[in-house]
Every structure is written in structure tokens, then in C-alpha cells.
Amino acid sequence: MISSPANRRNSLNFSGGPGALPESVLQQVQESIIAVPEVGLSILGISHRSDWFAGVVAELESNIRSLMGLSSNYHVLFLQGGATQQFSMVPMTLLRGKEYAAEYLHTGYWTGKAIPEAQREGPVRMLWSGEDMGFTRLPKDDELDFSVDAPYLHYASNETVEGLQFHRVIGRDDVPRICDMSSDFLAGPGEFDRFSLIYAHAQKNIGPAGVTVVVVKDELLDGAPTDLPGFLDYRAQIKAHSIFNTPPVFAIYVILLVTRWLRDEIGGLDAMDRINTAKADMLYQALDRSCDFYQARAHRSDRSKMNVAFTLSSPELESQFLAAAAHAGMSGLAGHRSVGGIRASLYNGLTISAVETLVSFMEEFRARRR
Amino acid sequence: MISSPANRRNSLNFSGGPGALPESVLQQVQESIIAVPEVGLSILGISHRSDWFAGVVAELESNIRSLMGLSSNYHVLFLQGGATQQFSMVPMTLLRGKEYAAEYLHTGYWTGKAIPEAQREGPVRMLWSGEDMGFTRLPKDDELDFSVDAPYLHYASNETVEGLQFHRVIGRDDVPRICDMSSDFLAGPGEFDRFSLIYAHAQKNIGPAGVTVVVVKDELLDGAPTDLPGFLDYRAQIKAHSIFNTPPVFAIYVILLVTRWLRDEIGGLDAMDRINTAKADMLYQALDRSCDFYQARAHRSDRSKMNVAFTLSSPELESQFLAAAAHAGMSGLAGHRSVGGIRASLYNGLTISAVETLVSFMEEFRARRR
């Protein structure tokens, strides 16, 4: 282990993303910058065509299959372009030239970005929108009237900006479900085999910005267009085992280390969920105890375990809160620029003790200022 | 400086890419994995919306402008998807719906990948192909009949696989020149203001895989389509200062460190070219001295300073050469899978002493085996 100089204290990182990664992973990453032990070359200079890197991709794919419990009719891909590229690739593949509308849920900032990209490619039906209520809750089952004719249903399991998370799978089992899991991917177990396509950029729970994981069911791609540029073509990427062109080698290696950490140090997705639930419960309970001072954004039933968004009574008080938090060694707590307020992101890499530090700080701040 | 354990000897990295990066850069990168000194957070967990990262992008853009001597009517972008994405973005932007053909040169493996992507989008005229002669040379001026009507001319300044490099600018000044400089970007000075668009993925000379630099002249984009998805739209990317969506933060930071190294330790592109020329001269002279044993692929006038491709008398001897080189601590010397043989890539980060080691090894190997 390479320790930091004594005169440097690192901040606790509550950023909405890119987010905190586990310390033990960072130490392995640090070593790999000069030389990956088993290769003798910097991770930044290893060929993506090397046997070693083929092994990295194969092990990573296997780790993700195993953590998620995926059956063999799913492919696991590592692509570039972020969730944004998936906002386009999904409708390019499944909606172009279609008669019936794909169904989209507008539950917050990020699904709001996905919908116009789908509309470029074909008909879209907005099944439900939380915009009028300021994205403070998710739909109830009786508000959702799914159509059997839709080529697919698209929604996000977790809205990063507003801090809303589905705690159930929605939609019909006879219509393909497509889910943006960018901000809660590998954060807990799920009925992943009920989805036809899941995508998640790495920079919340599993790695650095620059790589996106796509899990896609083989039969979803029957009838996909054959005239897309290769880098936008899921089948071309499957055929090339994610090495259609030079992949982001470093970012993929970091994800591999994170999946090993999830398996070996944490003990899998159930264990990860217990930790994430404990972190979120601790923070929401602190908010609820002090609801005269801190107001949680999300309705109780739809609260996110990943992103805890709250407000104080005025923007001025929120600025004071952020400045005092930064002074106390906590960073990344400002809410997304589209909504303001405060947001504490509790991704996999953030420790329970970091949340304890935040809660103590919040109690002290309230005691001083209310 | 964090030194490697004494029992580990790192290989000299002659890989075609991702390639070697300078040691002093790797040491700074290593430190940043735990905490970027001026931020106190891991580079892998710093928000792309932070003031610090806005400063990184601004400084990097300024360094590239200054190194290349670009005037203010050029934009500098940092995108994902590699050169492959540029193979598509260029014709999507400049060829869709056009009457006259864009002109492409087929000088090797990589321009051979670009041409079919352009053909998806509009008419293409192959101006010259070296395929019949096994891509052993580039066209002479009197073999090129440029049309004034072409929307643009596309070529590669350096063919990585075959080791061919243009040592002059070609084309008409009244037709936009588009150049893939992926494998010789920032390796030496050039008349960059004669190009309308230059693209280069990072993983040869300037950084890790996962980011692509695009230098584009403002007026080239007049009349570009307005209906492209944002991540494929140069103007949307310009407007967003390369942060249209989450960019590859880490890879961009590494490029920044490389540009500082180019400026402060090397002394700019003229000085870099002197070093690269010395390395290439040393290796080509060694080949020419031993032409009974080693055969350079490229015609003398078109030899690349970046990728020195050569063959031995049989694939068996080449395998023995590669095994002996690996044993002597030199990696990445196998030729590209499409052509075989040997290839030594001499990117910016590779030292003169590494080339001296290679040349000594080659002389010994020849003395033993001929």
C-alpha cells in the first residue's frame, strides 16, 4: 500500500458522479499505472489486442454475469459514449421505421434527456410524467397503462438528480423492458432477467467515466437494422467482444477490479445492498428527525438509496451548508445545477463512516443555525 | 517519485497502441489516482462539472492551440468513440445529401476502415489506392488528380499498420482537408492551418485509449445538419465545451499532463520531432545496414517516424525474433494481425535509449541467426 503524505487529507466524496471508488481498488489502480504486476507494462500502454486484455474482458463479463445472475442468452458489452449514446442506440436499433410507439416514463432529468433522442428515430408515447409535480415522486401502478403493442418500454431505475428510485420492476412481461440503471447498477440484487436491455455508465458505482456497460438479451436484436455504423450496432459489438475498435482499456480494467471487490470483499449484491440500505437509512432518518430544518425531496415510497436530495429553507442557508461541509472535508454535496439544493450520493464506494461523518455534521450545523 | 519494487523490471513498450507514455507523466498520474494534489480527491471521482475540471479542459485546449499554432477560428474538442467514431461523424456532417463525391485515399488498413463508413452517408470517390502494391508506398503528386467539386478530401497522415507517413500536405487549398492524424498527432510540427478538420485518438502519442481530439475550423460546419444526435454533432459539442455529456475525465487529465510534458520537458513540437527523427533514423539505419536479414516494408520516401514495420525471411524466424525480444524485455513488437511481421512503434513517450536497446538486440539476433 502506498500511503498519502501526512499533510494531505482527502475529502469524503459525495459527488453525484463521477463518484467515489473503494480505497482498496484505488490502491491496485495506482500500482497499475506504472506496471500491471502480471504484465510488467503500464495499464495505459497495454494493447487492447493482447491476450492479457482479452482475459480482462472475459473475466469482467463473467463477474458481471455471476453478480447479476444472468443466463447465457444475455450479452455483456463495454461501450463508449455514456448513457447518452444509449439514449440514441436503443431507438436506432428498436424504433426506426416502427409503427407503434415506444413507451417512455419521464421521471426526472435523465429520462427527460432520453425522450427527445427517441423521438428523432420513431414514435414515442410518454406514458407518465412527474414534471408537473417537480419530480418528487414516481408513478403508482394504477397510473400506468402499458400497451401490448409498444416495441419496448424505457425507464430509469434511479433518477440521479432528483433522488427517486423504483423499488419494483414495472411494465408488462410481454413487452421488452429497457432500463437505464446508470446510477444504481450493481448496487443491489434485482430481477435482471425481466429486462431485455440494461445500460449503465460506469461513473457512479463501478468505475471511472468513459465506459458504459450494456446487458442485452439475444432475441431483442432479432430484426435490428443492419445498416448502422459498427460502433452504434449492438450486434457488431457483440461479434467483436466489445473490441470493435480500441476500447477504453483503463476504465474497463478499473471496473474489473471493482467487480472483484464486490465479490471478494463485499460478498455480492445482497451484501452490497445491506450496506447501501444502512447508509441511506442513516441519512434519511437524520433528515426525518430534523424535518423542521432539512426537507427530503422525494416521497417516502420512492426514496433513492443512491442519491439523497434535500433542501434547506433558503438558497443562502444551503450555500452556508455547502461551504461549512467543504470546510469539514466533505465534497460534492451541491445539488444538480438543474434543481439546486443539496444531494448526497451514497454510491457503492462510499463508506458507512463517511455517512456517519455527514450526519454528525448535519446535526451540528442544524444546532448552530436553526 | 514512487519507485517500482526492485524485483520487477518493466518492459520497453514498442506497442502500436495503446502506446508508451512518458515516465514523468505516469508518476503524476499515479499520484492522482489517490488524490489530485490541488483537489484532494481521486481523479477517478472528480465531477466533470467541477471548476477544477473546467480548468483542465481550458488549459488542455490552450496547450494544444499553442503547441500546434492554431488560430482562433479552430475549435478543439475531446470526444469519445475513437477514430472509428470520426470515420462516421465526418461524412454524417459533410457528405449526407451531397451531390459531389468526397475524395478518399486508401493508403492502408485504417483508411480502408474509413471509406465504407463514408459510403454509408454519400458519394465517395477513391482517389488512389495502394492496395495492389501491398500498401508499401504512398502516392506521388502526379498520381493524384484532385477535384475542385469534392465536399472534402480525407486521408491519414500516418498509416499505423503499414508504417507509411506523408511528409507533405496534399490536396487543393480550396477543398477542405480532413486528416486522420491518430498515430502522429503532436509528434512534430506541421502546417495545421491548411486542414479544416484533424482528428486523433489519444492512445498513440498523447494519452490512454478512450478520448479523441478533434481540431475543427469554424467555417467547415456552416451548413452541417441540425438533426444529428447531440453526441454526434460537432456544433453541439463545441457549444458544450466538450462536456455535452460526461466526458472521459481521467483520459483528458492524462492528455493535459502529456501536453505540459511536451511543452516544459521536451520544449515543443520542433524539439519532439528532433527526438522522434533521431529514434526513427537510428532504427531505419540499422535496418538498412542489415538488409540481408531485415527488410523494411515502406518505400524510403514514405517511411513513418512513428511505426517502423519490417519483416524477416520467414514467419518462423519472426516468431523467434519476437520471443527473444520479449525475453530481453521488449514488448509490443509483433506486426498488426492483418500484415504480420515486426513493427516497432516509436511514439513520443518512447525514449531514445529504448531504441538503442532494440537496435543492439537486433544486431545480436542477426549475428546469431544469419
Side-chain angles (χ1 to χ4, degrees), chain B residues 190-217:
Chain B
E191 299 170 271
F192 302 119
D193 59 356
R194 297 180 64 193
F195 293 85
S196 293
L197 190 149
I198 292 166
Y199 60 88
H201 58 217
Q203 67 262 22
K204 310 299 189 194
N205 280 304
I206 58 164
V211 62
T212 303
V213 180
V214 175
V215 170
V216 56
K217 210 170 186 170

mmCIF file of all heavy atoms in Angstrom, chain B residues 190-217:
data_model
loop_
_atom_site.group_PDB
_atom_site.id
_atom_site.type_symbol
_atom_site.label_atom_id
_atom_site.label_comp_id
_atom_site.label_asym_id
_atom_site.label_seq_id
_atom_site.Cartn_x
_atom_site.Cartn_y
_atom_site.Cartn_z
ATOM 1 N N GLY B 190 3.717 21.008 -38.035
ATOM 2 C CA GLY B 190 3.040 20.789 -39.315
ATOM 3 C C GLY B 190 2.311 22.050 -39.731
ATOM 4 O O GLY B 190 2.158 22.977 -38.931
ATOM 5 N N GLU B 191 1.857 22.046 -40.972
ATOM 6 C CA GLU B 191 1.083 23.203 -41.448
ATOM 7 C C GLU B 191 -0.383 22.955 -41.114
ATOM 8 O O GLU B 191 -1.216 22.760 -41.998
ATOM 9 C CB GLU B 191 1.275 23.354 -42.953
ATOM 10 C CG GLU B 191 2.718 23.605 -43.357
ATOM 11 C CD GLU B 191 2.882 23.507 -44.880
ATOM 12 O OE1 GLU B 191 3.141 22.388 -45.369
ATOM 13 O OE2 GLU B 191 2.746 24.543 -45.546
ATOM 14 N N PHE B 192 -0.689 22.977 -39.833
ATOM 15 C CA PHE B 192 -2.013 22.542 -39.382
ATOM 16 C C PHE B 192 -3.121 23.477 -39.865
ATOM 17 O O PHE B 192 -4.265 23.059 -39.991
ATOM 18 C CB PHE B 192 -2.028 22.412 -37.854
ATOM 19 C CG PHE B 192 -0.997 21.441 -37.344
ATOM 20 C CD1 PHE B 192 0.026 21.855 -36.492
ATOM 21 C CD2 PHE B 192 -1.027 20.111 -37.740
ATOM 22 C CE1 PHE B 192 0.980 20.965 -36.031
ATOM 23 C CE2 PHE B 192 -0.066 19.197 -37.288
ATOM 24 C CZ PHE B 192 0.938 19.634 -36.439
ATOM 25 N N ASP B 193 -2.767 24.737 -40.139
ATOM 26 C CA ASP B 193 -3.807 25.668 -40.588
ATOM 27 C C ASP B 193 -4.223 25.414 -42.042
ATOM 28 O O ASP B 193 -5.114 26.083 -42.546
ATOM 29 C CB ASP B 193 -3.362 27.119 -40.380
ATOM 30 C CG ASP B 193 -2.079 27.430 -41.123
ATOM 31 O OD1 ASP B 193 -1.490 26.501 -41.734
ATOM 32 O OD2 ASP B 193 -1.654 28.599 -41.102
ATOM 33 N N ARG B 194 -3.613 24.445 -42.681
ATOM 34 C CA ARG B 194 -4.073 24.073 -44.027
ATOM 35 C C ARG B 194 -5.143 22.970 -43.971
ATOM 36 O O ARG B 194 -5.653 22.552 -45.002
ATOM 37 C CB ARG B 194 -2.885 23.642 -44.891
ATOM 38 C CG ARG B 194 -1.884 24.797 -45.105
ATOM 39 C CD ARG B 194 -0.714 24.386 -45.966
ATOM 40 N NE ARG B 194 -1.115 24.030 -47.325
ATOM 41 C CZ ARG B 194 -0.323 23.408 -48.200
ATOM 42 N NH1 ARG B 194 0.913 23.065 -47.833
ATOM 43 N NH2 ARG B 194 -0.747 23.117 -49.406
ATOM 44 N N PHE B 195 -5.487 22.536 -42.761
ATOM 45 C CA PHE B 195 -6.510 21.492 -42.605
ATOM 46 C C PHE B 195 -7.799 22.106 -42.049
ATOM 47 O O PHE B 195 -7.753 23.026 -41.238
ATOM 48 C CB PHE B 195 -6.010 20.403 -41.654
ATOM 49 C CG PHE B 195 -4.848 19.622 -42.219
ATOM 50 C CD1 PHE B 195 -3.541 20.079 -42.081
ATOM 51 C CD2 PHE B 195 -5.080 18.446 -42.925
ATOM 52 C CE1 PHE B 195 -2.472 19.372 -42.632
ATOM 53 C CE2 PHE B 195 -4.018 17.737 -43.482
ATOM 54 C CZ PHE B 195 -2.711 18.200 -43.337
ATOM 55 N N SER B 196 -8.921 21.552 -42.487
ATOM 56 C CA SER B 196 -10.212 22.009 -41.967
ATOM 57 C C SER B 196 -10.646 21.197 -40.758
ATOM 58 O O SER B 196 -11.371 21.692 -39.896
ATOM 59 C CB SER B 196 -11.284 21.902 -43.046
ATOM 60 O OG SER B 196 -11.017 22.823 -44.075
ATOM 61 N N LEU B 197 -10.235 19.939 -40.729
ATOM 62 C CA LEU B 197 -10.563 19.097 -39.579
ATOM 63 C C LEU B 197 -9.458 18.059 -39.420
ATOM 64 O O LEU B 197 -9.048 17.420 -40.392
ATOM 65 C CB LEU B 197 -11.929 18.418 -39.765
ATOM 66 C CG LEU B 197 -12.519 17.687 -38.543
ATOM 67 C CD1 LEU B 197 -14.042 17.749 -38.564
ATOM 68 C CD2 LEU B 197 -12.064 16.247 -38.430
ATOM 69 N N ILE B 198 -8.972 17.948 -38.198
ATOM 70 C CA ILE B 198 -7.952 16.955 -37.840
ATOM 71 C C ILE B 198 -8.514 16.148 -36.682
ATOM 72 O O ILE B 198 -9.067 16.727 -35.745
ATOM 73 C CB ILE B 198 -6.650 17.663 -37.391
ATOM 74 C CG1 ILE B 198 -5.979 18.375 -38.571
ATOM 75 C CG2 ILE B 198 -5.691 16.681 -36.723
ATOM 76 C CD1 ILE B 198 -4.892 19.364 -38.152
ATOM 77 N N TYR B 199 -8.396 14.833 -36.757
ATOM 78 C CA TYR B 199 -8.791 14.041 -35.592
ATOM 79 C C TYR B 199 -7.691 13.055 -35.235
ATOM 80 O O TYR B 199 -6.901 12.637 -36.080
ATOM 81 C CB TYR B 199 -10.136 13.334 -35.792
ATOM 82 C CG TYR B 199 -10.226 12.351 -36.936
ATOM 83 C CD1 TYR B 199 -9.881 11.013 -36.769
ATOM 84 C CD2 TYR B 199 -10.697 12.749 -38.186
ATOM 85 C CE1 TYR B 199 -10.009 10.093 -37.814
ATOM 86 C CE2 TYR B 199 -10.808 11.848 -39.240
ATOM 87 C CZ TYR B 199 -10.464 10.527 -39.045
ATOM 88 O OH TYR B 199 -10.572 9.626 -40.080
ATOM 89 N N ALA B 200 -7.654 12.729 -33.957
ATOM 90 C CA ALA B 200 -6.612 11.831 -33.461
ATOM 91 C C ALA B 200 -7.076 11.217 -32.154
ATOM 92 O O ALA B 200 -7.372 11.937 -31.205
ATOM 93 C CB ALA B 200 -5.316 12.593 -33.221
ATOM 94 N N HIS B 201 -7.156 9.899 -32.112
ATOM 95 C CA HIS B 201 -7.390 9.290 -30.809
ATOM 96 C C HIS B 201 -6.098 9.422 -29.991
ATOM 97 O O HIS B 201 -5.021 9.636 -30.537
ATOM 98 C CB HIS B 201 -7.877 7.850 -30.917
ATOM 99 C CG HIS B 201 -6.965 6.930 -31.651
ATOM 100 N ND1 HIS B 201 -7.418 5.936 -32.473
ATOM 101 C CD2 HIS B 201 -5.618 6.854 -31.712
ATOM 102 C CE1 HIS B 201 -6.387 5.289 -32.970
ATOM 103 N NE2 HIS B 201 -5.295 5.819 -32.528
ATOM 104 N N ALA B 202 -6.245 9.293 -28.677
ATOM 105 C CA ALA B 202 -5.119 9.639 -27.804
ATOM 106 C C ALA B 202 -4.064 8.559 -27.702
ATOM 107 O O ALA B 202 -2.907 8.836 -27.388
ATOM 108 C CB ALA B 202 -5.657 9.942 -26.403
ATOM 109 N N GLN B 203 -4.454 7.295 -27.958
ATOM 110 C CA GLN B 203 -3.652 6.196 -27.426
ATOM 111 C C GLN B 203 -2.361 5.878 -28.174
ATOM 112 O O GLN B 203 -1.796 4.807 -27.960
ATOM 113 C CB GLN B 203 -4.512 4.938 -27.280
ATOM 114 C CG GLN B 203 -4.985 4.322 -28.586
ATOM 115 C CD GLN B 203 -6.388 4.741 -28.936
ATOM 116 O OE1 GLN B 203 -6.868 5.763 -28.455
ATOM 117 N NE2 GLN B 203 -7.064 3.990 -29.775
ATOM 118 N N LYS B 204 -1.896 6.783 -29.022
ATOM 119 C CA LYS B 204 -0.573 6.580 -29.615
ATOM 120 C C LYS B 204 0.430 7.500 -28.918
ATOM 121 O O LYS B 204 1.321 7.053 -28.228
ATOM 122 C CB LYS B 204 -0.581 6.880 -31.111
ATOM 123 C CG LYS B 204 -1.683 6.214 -31.907
ATOM 124 C CD LYS B 204 -1.639 4.703 -31.869
ATOM 125 C CE LYS B 204 -2.636 4.109 -32.867
ATOM 126 N NZ LYS B 204 -2.870 2.701 -32.661
ATOM 127 N N ASN B 205 0.257 8.801 -29.120
ATOM 128 C CA ASN B 205 1.270 9.754 -28.687
ATOM 129 C C ASN B 205 0.905 10.558 -27.451
ATOM 130 O O ASN B 205 1.788 11.147 -26.834
ATOM 131 C CB ASN B 205 1.547 10.757 -29.822
ATOM 132 C CG ASN B 205 2.472 10.180 -30.871
ATOM 133 O OD1 ASN B 205 3.572 9.755 -30.546
ATOM 134 N ND2 ASN B 205 2.026 10.128 -32.106
ATOM 135 N N ILE B 206 -0.381 10.630 -27.107
ATOM 136 C CA ILE B 206 -0.733 11.674 -26.138
ATOM 137 C C ILE B 206 -1.512 11.207 -24.921
ATOM 138 O O ILE B 206 -1.781 12.021 -24.037
ATOM 139 C CB ILE B 206 -1.505 12.830 -26.819
ATOM 140 C CG1 ILE B 206 -2.780 12.301 -27.492
ATOM 141 C CG2 ILE B 206 -0.612 13.541 -27.808
ATOM 142 C CD1 ILE B 206 -3.759 13.408 -27.831
ATOM 143 N N GLY B 207 -1.904 9.945 -24.839
ATOM 144 C CA GLY B 207 -2.658 9.571 -23.656
ATOM 145 C C GLY B 207 -3.195 8.164 -23.742
ATOM 146 O O GLY B 207 -2.785 7.385 -24.595
ATOM 147 N N PRO B 208 -4.123 7.820 -22.840
ATOM 148 C CA PRO B 208 -4.700 6.476 -22.843
ATOM 149 C C PRO B 208 -5.850 6.381 -23.840
ATOM 150 O O PRO B 208 -6.393 7.397 -24.271
ATOM 151 C CB PRO B 208 -5.231 6.332 -21.411
ATOM 152 C CG PRO B 208 -5.431 7.712 -20.907
ATOM 153 C CD PRO B 208 -4.612 8.657 -21.736
ATOM 154 N N ALA B 209 -6.244 5.168 -24.181
ATOM 155 C CA ALA B 209 -7.418 4.947 -25.022
ATOM 156 C C ALA B 209 -8.649 5.494 -24.326
ATOM 157 O O ALA B 209 -8.761 5.430 -23.105
ATOM 158 C CB ALA B 209 -7.585 3.458 -25.284
ATOM 159 N N GLY B 210 -9.580 6.038 -25.119
ATOM 160 C CA GLY B 210 -10.850 6.474 -24.551
ATOM 161 C C GLY B 210 -11.165 7.934 -24.795
ATOM 162 O O GLY B 210 -12.229 8.407 -24.401
ATOM 163 N N VAL B 211 -10.252 8.638 -25.456
ATOM 164 C CA VAL B 211 -10.547 10.033 -25.806
ATOM 165 C C VAL B 211 -9.936 10.336 -27.164
ATOM 166 O O VAL B 211 -8.894 9.779 -27.527
ATOM 167 C CB VAL B 211 -10.051 11.011 -24.707
ATOM 168 C CG1 VAL B 211 -8.553 10.943 -24.534
ATOM 169 C CG2 VAL B 211 -10.491 12.445 -25.002
ATOM 170 N N THR B 212 -10.617 11.175 -27.923
ATOM 171 C CA THR B 212 -10.202 11.552 -29.272
ATOM 172 C C THR B 212 -10.187 13.072 -29.354
ATOM 173 O O THR B 212 -11.150 13.717 -28.940
ATOM 174 C CB THR B 212 -11.201 10.986 -30.305
ATOM 175 O OG1 THR B 212 -11.257 9.575 -30.128
ATOM 176 C CG2 THR B 212 -10.784 11.314 -31.721
ATOM 177 N N VAL B 213 -9.108 13.617 -29.869
ATOM 178 C CA VAL B 213 -9.028 15.064 -30.050
ATOM 179 C C VAL B 213 -9.506 15.393 -31.460
ATOM 180 O O VAL B 213 -9.102 14.738 -32.429
ATOM 181 C CB VAL B 213 -7.587 15.571 -29.860
ATOM 182 C CG1 VAL B 213 -7.525 17.090 -30.049
ATOM 183 C CG2 VAL B 213 -7.053 15.194 -28.482
ATOM 184 N N VAL B 214 -10.369 16.389 -31.571
ATOM 185 C CA VAL B 214 -10.801 16.886 -32.875
ATOM 186 C C VAL B 214 -10.493 18.376 -32.927
ATOM 187 O O VAL B 214 -10.863 19.122 -32.029
ATOM 188 C CB VAL B 214 -12.315 16.655 -33.103
ATOM 189 C CG1 VAL B 214 -12.761 17.285 -34.424
ATOM 190 C CG2 VAL B 214 -12.637 15.170 -33.095
ATOM 191 N N VAL B 215 -9.777 18.774 -33.972
ATOM 192 C CA VAL B 215 -9.488 20.184 -34.225
ATOM 193 C C VAL B 215 -10.274 20.548 -35.480
ATOM 194 O O VAL B 215 -10.074 19.929 -36.528
ATOM 195 C CB VAL B 215 -7.976 20.386 -34.452
ATOM 196 C CG1 VAL B 215 -7.693 21.791 -34.952
ATOM 197 C CG2 VAL B 215 -7.202 20.104 -33.164
ATOM 198 N N VAL B 216 -11.184 21.489 -35.353
ATOM 199 C CA VAL B 216 -12.070 21.765 -36.498
ATOM 200 C C VAL B 216 -12.211 23.271 -36.716
ATOM 201 O O VAL B 216 -12.383 24.039 -35.775
ATOM 202 C CB VAL B 216 -13.445 21.067 -36.318
ATOM 203 C CG1 VAL B 216 -14.122 21.447 -35.022
ATOM 204 C CG2 VAL B 216 -14.363 21.338 -37.499
ATOM 205 N N LYS B 217 -12.130 23.627 -37.979
ATOM 206 C CA LYS B 217 -12.232 25.030 -38.397
ATOM 207 C C LYS B 217 -13.701 25.425 -38.352
ATOM 208 O O LYS B 217 -14.571 24.703 -38.854
ATOM 209 C CB LYS B 217 -11.709 25.148 -39.822
ATOM 210 C CG LYS B 217 -11.094 26.469 -40.182
ATOM 211 C CD LYS B 217 -10.395 26.344 -41.527
ATOM 212 C CE LYS B 217 -9.642 27.609 -41.869
ATOM 213 N NZ LYS B 217 -8.787 27.378 -43.049
#
